[in-house]
PDB file of all heavy atoms in Angstrom:
ATOM      1  N   LEU B  74      55.284  -3.814  71.692  1.00  0.00           N
ATOM      2  CA  LEU B  74      56.109  -2.702  71.213  1.00  0.00           C
ATOM      3  C   LEU B  74      57.265  -2.465  72.177  1.00  0.00           C
ATOM      4  O   LEU B  74      58.416  -2.319  71.771  1.00  0.00           O
ATOM      5  CB  LEU B  74      55.273  -1.420  71.140  1.00  0.00           C
ATOM      6  CG  LEU B  74      54.795  -0.943  69.781  1.00  0.00           C
ATOM      7  CD1 LEU B  74      54.069   0.373  69.928  1.00  0.00           C
ATOM      8  CD2 LEU B  74      55.934  -0.813  68.787  1.00  0.00           C
ATOM      9  N   GLU B  75      56.925  -2.434  73.451  1.00  0.00           N
ATOM     10  CA  GLU B  75      57.905  -2.193  74.507  1.00  0.00           C
ATOM     11  C   GLU B  75      59.014  -3.251  74.447  1.00  0.00           C
ATOM     12  O   GLU B  75      60.198  -2.944  74.526  1.00  0.00           O
ATOM     13  CB  GLU B  75      57.191  -2.303  75.850  1.00  0.00           C
ATOM     14  CG  GLU B  75      57.506  -1.180  76.807  1.00  0.00           C
ATOM     15  CD  GLU B  75      56.572  -1.264  78.013  1.00  0.00           C
ATOM     16  OE1 GLU B  75      56.888  -2.019  78.952  1.00  0.00           O
ATOM     17  OE2 GLU B  75      55.505  -0.595  77.987  1.00  0.00           O
ATOM     18  N   LYS B  76      58.572  -4.517  74.280  1.00  0.00           N
ATOM     19  CA  LYS B  76      59.521  -5.631  74.222  1.00  0.00           C
ATOM     20  C   LYS B  76      60.507  -5.452  73.062  1.00  0.00           C
ATOM     21  O   LYS B  76      61.713  -5.608  73.227  1.00  0.00           O
ATOM     22  CB  LYS B  76      58.718  -6.935  74.053  1.00  0.00           C
ATOM     23  CG  LYS B  76      59.550  -8.193  73.880  1.00  0.00           C
ATOM     24  CD  LYS B  76      58.642  -9.420  73.747  1.00  0.00           C
ATOM     25  CE  LYS B  76      59.218 -10.432  72.766  1.00  0.00           C
ATOM     26  NZ  LYS B  76      58.245 -11.483  72.409  1.00  0.00           N
ATOM     27  N   TYR B  77      59.976  -5.127  71.879  1.00  0.00           N
ATOM     28  CA  TYR B  77      60.846  -5.001  70.717  1.00  0.00           C
ATOM     29  C   TYR B  77      61.681  -3.728  70.767  1.00  0.00           C
ATOM     30  O   TYR B  77      62.810  -3.696  70.287  1.00  0.00           O
ATOM     31  CB  TYR B  77      60.039  -5.119  69.424  1.00  0.00           C
ATOM     32  CG  TYR B  77      59.566  -6.536  69.217  1.00  0.00           C
ATOM     33  CD1 TYR B  77      58.225  -6.877  69.267  1.00  0.00           C
ATOM     34  CD2 TYR B  77      60.501  -7.548  69.011  1.00  0.00           C
ATOM     35  CE1 TYR B  77      57.813  -8.197  69.117  1.00  0.00           C
ATOM     36  CE2 TYR B  77      60.099  -8.867  68.862  1.00  0.00           C
ATOM     37  CZ  TYR B  77      58.761  -9.179  68.907  1.00  0.00           C
ATOM     38  OH  TYR B  77      58.359 -10.479  68.763  1.00  0.00           O
ATOM     39  N   ALA B  78      61.134  -2.684  71.339  1.00  0.00           N
ATOM     40  CA  ALA B  78      61.885  -1.444  71.505  1.00  0.00           C
ATOM     41  C   ALA B  78      63.102  -1.718  72.391  1.00  0.00           C
ATOM     42  O   ALA B  78      64.212  -1.249  72.118  1.00  0.00           O
ATOM     43  CB  ALA B  78      61.001  -0.369  72.119  1.00  0.00           C
ATOM     44  N   GLU B  79      62.897  -2.524  73.422  1.00  0.00           N
ATOM     45  CA  GLU B  79      63.994  -2.851  74.328  1.00  0.00           C
ATOM     46  C   GLU B  79      65.076  -3.649  73.581  1.00  0.00           C
ATOM     47  O   GLU B  79      66.260  -3.364  73.699  1.00  0.00           O
ATOM     48  CB  GLU B  79      63.436  -3.662  75.497  1.00  0.00           C
ATOM     49  CG  GLU B  79      64.286  -3.517  76.758  1.00  0.00           C
ATOM     50  CD  GLU B  79      63.739  -4.376  77.885  1.00  0.00           C
ATOM     51  OE1 GLU B  79      62.570  -4.159  78.266  1.00  0.00           O
ATOM     52  OE2 GLU B  79      64.468  -5.267  78.357  1.00  0.00           O
ATOM     53  N   LYS B  80      64.613  -4.650  72.792  1.00  0.00           N
ATOM     54  CA  LYS B  80      65.557  -5.462  72.009  1.00  0.00           C
ATOM     55  C   LYS B  80      66.421  -4.620  71.082  1.00  0.00           C
ATOM     56  O   LYS B  80      67.562  -4.951  70.796  1.00  0.00           O
ATOM     57  CB  LYS B  80      64.784  -6.456  71.128  1.00  0.00           C
ATOM     58  CG  LYS B  80      64.426  -7.727  71.832  1.00  0.00           C
ATOM     59  CD  LYS B  80      64.001  -8.792  70.834  1.00  0.00           C
ATOM     60  CE  LYS B  80      63.502 -10.004  71.608  1.00  0.00           C
ATOM     61  NZ  LYS B  80      63.338 -11.181  70.756  1.00  0.00           N
ATOM     62  N   LEU B  81      65.801  -3.569  70.539  1.00  0.00           N
ATOM     63  CA  LEU B  81      66.499  -2.739  69.558  1.00  0.00           C
ATOM     64  C   LEU B  81      67.139  -1.510  70.206  1.00  0.00           C
ATOM     65  O   LEU B  81      67.771  -0.701  69.526  1.00  0.00           O
ATOM     66  CB  LEU B  81      65.521  -2.300  68.459  1.00  0.00           C
ATOM     67  CG  LEU B  81      65.099  -3.384  67.467  1.00  0.00           C
ATOM     68  CD1 LEU B  81      63.868  -2.963  66.688  1.00  0.00           C
ATOM     69  CD2 LEU B  81      66.248  -3.671  66.481  1.00  0.00           C
ATOM     70  N   GLY B  82      66.938  -1.363  71.498  1.00  0.00           N
ATOM     71  CA  GLY B  82      67.483  -0.192  72.189  1.00  0.00           C
ATOM     72  C   GLY B  82      66.868   1.115  71.729  1.00  0.00           C
ATOM     73  O   GLY B  82      67.544   2.128  71.583  1.00  0.00           O
ATOM     74  N   ILE B  83      65.561   1.078  71.469  1.00  0.00           N
ATOM     75  CA  ILE B  83      64.871   2.286  70.994  1.00  0.00           C
ATOM     76  C   ILE B  83      64.162   2.965  72.166  1.00  0.00           C
ATOM     77  O   ILE B  83      63.368   2.332  72.868  1.00  0.00           O
ATOM     78  CB  ILE B  83      63.840   1.917  69.904  1.00  0.00           C
ATOM     79  CG1 ILE B  83      64.568   1.289  68.706  1.00  0.00           C
ATOM     80  CG2 ILE B  83      63.032   3.135  69.472  1.00  0.00           C
ATOM     81  CD1 ILE B  83      63.632   0.796  67.626  1.00  0.00           C
ATOM     82  N   PRO B  84      64.434   4.254  72.382  1.00  0.00           N
ATOM     83  CA  PRO B  84      63.799   4.961  73.496  1.00  0.00           C
ATOM     84  C   PRO B  84      62.305   5.179  73.244  1.00  0.00           C
ATOM     85  O   PRO B  84      61.838   5.131  72.096  1.00  0.00           O
ATOM     86  CB  PRO B  84      64.538   6.302  73.532  1.00  0.00           C
ATOM     87  CG  PRO B  84      65.035   6.511  72.139  1.00  0.00           C
ATOM     88  CD  PRO B  84      65.322   5.129  71.591  1.00  0.00           C
ATOM     89  N   ALA B  85      61.569   5.424  74.315  1.00  0.00           N
ATOM     90  CA  ALA B  85      60.104   5.559  74.247  1.00  0.00           C
ATOM     91  C   ALA B  85      59.649   6.608  73.233  1.00  0.00           C
ATOM     92  O   ALA B  85      58.647   6.421  72.540  1.00  0.00           O
ATOM     93  CB  ALA B  85      59.558   5.895  75.641  1.00  0.00           C
ATOM     94  N   GLU B  86      60.410   7.694  73.118  1.00  0.00           N
ATOM     95  CA  GLU B  86      59.957   8.769  72.203  1.00  0.00           C
ATOM     96  C   GLU B  86      60.055   8.376  70.738  1.00  0.00           C
ATOM     97  O   GLU B  86      59.509   9.062  69.875  1.00  0.00           O
ATOM     98  CB  GLU B  86      60.698  10.091  72.477  1.00  0.00           C
ATOM     99  CG  GLU B  86      62.193  10.081  72.181  1.00  0.00           C
ATOM    100  CD  GLU B  86      63.023   9.701  73.420  1.00  0.00           C
ATOM    101  OE1 GLU B  86      62.482   9.011  74.324  1.00  0.00           O
ATOM    102  OE2 GLU B  86      64.200  10.088  73.478  1.00  0.00           O
ATOM    103  N   ARG B  87      60.725   7.254  70.458  1.00  0.00           N
ATOM    104  CA  ARG B  87      60.747   6.784  69.069  1.00  0.00           C
ATOM    105  C   ARG B  87      59.974   5.469  68.903  1.00  0.00           C
ATOM    106  O   ARG B  87      60.170   4.730  67.950  1.00  0.00           O
ATOM    107  CB  ARG B  87      62.197   6.654  68.572  1.00  0.00           C
ATOM    108  CG  ARG B  87      62.799   8.008  68.203  1.00  0.00           C
ATOM    109  CD  ARG B  87      64.111   7.879  67.452  1.00  0.00           C
ATOM    110  NE  ARG B  87      65.250   7.864  68.361  1.00  0.00           N
ATOM    111  CZ  ARG B  87      66.122   6.864  68.472  1.00  0.00           C
ATOM    112  NH1 ARG B  87      65.996   5.789  67.708  1.00  0.00           N
ATOM    113  NH2 ARG B  87      67.117   6.937  69.325  1.00  0.00           N
ATOM    114  N   THR B  88      59.107   5.197  69.838  1.00  0.00           N
ATOM    115  CA  THR B  88      58.255   4.009  69.788  1.00  0.00           C
ATOM    116  C   THR B  88      56.806   4.471  69.634  1.00  0.00           C
ATOM    117  O   THR B  88      56.306   5.189  70.486  1.00  0.00           O
ATOM    118  CB  THR B  88      58.440   3.189  71.074  1.00  0.00           C
ATOM    119  OG1 THR B  88      59.827   2.886  71.229  1.00  0.00           O
ATOM    120  CG2 THR B  88      57.649   1.897  71.024  1.00  0.00           C
ATOM    121  N   HIS B  89      56.173   4.065  68.542  1.00  0.00           N
ATOM    122  CA  HIS B  89      54.871   4.633  68.235  1.00  0.00           C
ATOM    123  C   HIS B  89      53.785   3.581  68.024  1.00  0.00           C
ATOM    124  O   HIS B  89      53.997   2.593  67.326  1.00  0.00           O
ATOM    125  CB  HIS B  89      54.946   5.482  66.964  1.00  0.00           C
ATOM    126  CG  HIS B  89      56.031   6.507  67.001  1.00  0.00           C
ATOM    127  ND1 HIS B  89      55.875   7.734  67.609  1.00  0.00           N
ATOM    128  CD2 HIS B  89      57.305   6.483  66.533  1.00  0.00           C
ATOM    129  CE1 HIS B  89      57.006   8.419  67.506  1.00  0.00           C
ATOM    130  NE2 HIS B  89      57.885   7.685  66.851  1.00  0.00           N
ATOM    131  N   LEU B  90      52.632   3.835  68.588  1.00  0.00           N
ATOM    132  CA  LEU B  90      51.453   3.012  68.354  1.00  0.00           C
ATOM    133  C   LEU B  90      50.497   3.837  67.508  1.00  0.00           C
ATOM    134  O   LEU B  90      50.056   4.910  67.929  1.00  0.00           O
ATOM    135  CB  LEU B  90      50.814   2.637  69.691  1.00  0.00           C
ATOM    136  CG  LEU B  90      49.641   1.671  69.611  1.00  0.00           C
ATOM    137  CD1 LEU B  90      50.092   0.302  69.109  1.00  0.00           C
ATOM    138  CD2 LEU B  90      48.993   1.526  70.979  1.00  0.00           C
ATOM    139  N   GLY B  91      50.206   3.336  66.300  1.00  0.00           N
ATOM    140  CA  GLY B  91      49.322   4.086  65.421  1.00  0.00           C
ATOM    141  C   GLY B  91      47.938   3.463  65.378  1.00  0.00           C
ATOM    142  O   GLY B  91      47.753   2.298  65.719  1.00  0.00           O
ATOM    143  N   HIS B  92      46.961   4.242  64.949  1.00  0.00           N
ATOM    144  CA  HIS B  92      45.591   3.751  64.775  1.00  0.00           C
ATOM    145  C   HIS B  92      45.150   4.081  63.364  1.00  0.00           C
ATOM    146  O   HIS B  92      45.387   5.181  62.894  1.00  0.00           O
ATOM    147  CB  HIS B  92      44.649   4.418  65.773  1.00  0.00           C
ATOM    148  CG  HIS B  92      44.971   4.078  67.192  1.00  0.00           C
ATOM    149  ND1 HIS B  92      44.375   3.038  67.857  1.00  0.00           N
ATOM    150  CD2 HIS B  92      45.861   4.622  68.046  1.00  0.00           C
ATOM    151  CE1 HIS B  92      44.882   2.966  69.075  1.00  0.00           C
ATOM    152  NE2 HIS B  92      45.784   3.922  69.223  1.00  0.00           N
ATOM    153  N   GLY B  93      44.515   3.129  62.705  1.00  0.00           N
ATOM    154  CA  GLY B  93      44.010   3.399  61.363  1.00  0.00           C
ATOM    155  C   GLY B  93      44.369   2.300  60.395  1.00  0.00           C
ATOM    156  O   GLY B  93      44.590   1.160  60.788  1.00  0.00           O
ATOM    157  N   THR B  94      44.419   2.657  59.113  1.00  0.00           N
ATOM    158  CA  THR B  94      44.796   1.701  58.078  1.00  0.00           C
ATOM    159  C   THR B  94      46.318   1.619  58.053  1.00  0.00           C
ATOM    160  O   THR B  94      46.984   2.624  57.803  1.00  0.00           O
ATOM    161  CB  THR B  94      44.283   2.166  56.701  1.00  0.00           C
ATOM    162  OG1 THR B  94      42.874   2.350  56.789  1.00  0.00           O
ATOM    163  CG2 THR B  94      44.611   1.157  55.618  1.00  0.00           C
ATOM    164  N   PRO B  95      46.881   0.422  58.311  1.00  0.00           N
ATOM    165  CA  PRO B  95      48.329   0.321  58.463  1.00  0.00           C
ATOM    166  C   PRO B  95      49.145   0.970  57.342  1.00  0.00           C
ATOM    167  O   PRO B  95      50.039   1.773  57.625  1.00  0.00           O
ATOM    168  CB  PRO B  95      48.559  -1.193  58.544  1.00  0.00           C
ATOM    169  CG  PRO B  95      47.320  -1.690  59.212  1.00  0.00           C
ATOM    170  CD  PRO B  95      46.202  -0.842  58.656  1.00  0.00           C
ATOM    171  N   SER B  96      48.830   0.662  56.064  1.00  0.00           N
ATOM    172  CA  SER B  96      49.674   1.191  54.984  1.00  0.00           C
ATOM    173  C   SER B  96      49.653   2.726  54.965  1.00  0.00           C
ATOM    174  O   SER B  96      50.689   3.367  54.797  1.00  0.00           O
ATOM    175  CB  SER B  96      49.245   0.617  53.632  1.00  0.00           C
ATOM    176  OG  SER B  96      47.907   0.930  53.362  1.00  0.00           O
TER     177      SER B  96
END
Side-chain angles (χ1 to χ4, degrees):
Chain B
L74 257 184
E75 227 171 85
K76 176 179 144 192
Y77 289 113
E79 206 182 300
K80 275 195 186 192
L81 287 164
I83 298 176
E86 66 268 25
R87 282 192 270 120
T88 304
H89 308 277
L90 185 66
H92 296 267
T94 304
S96 59

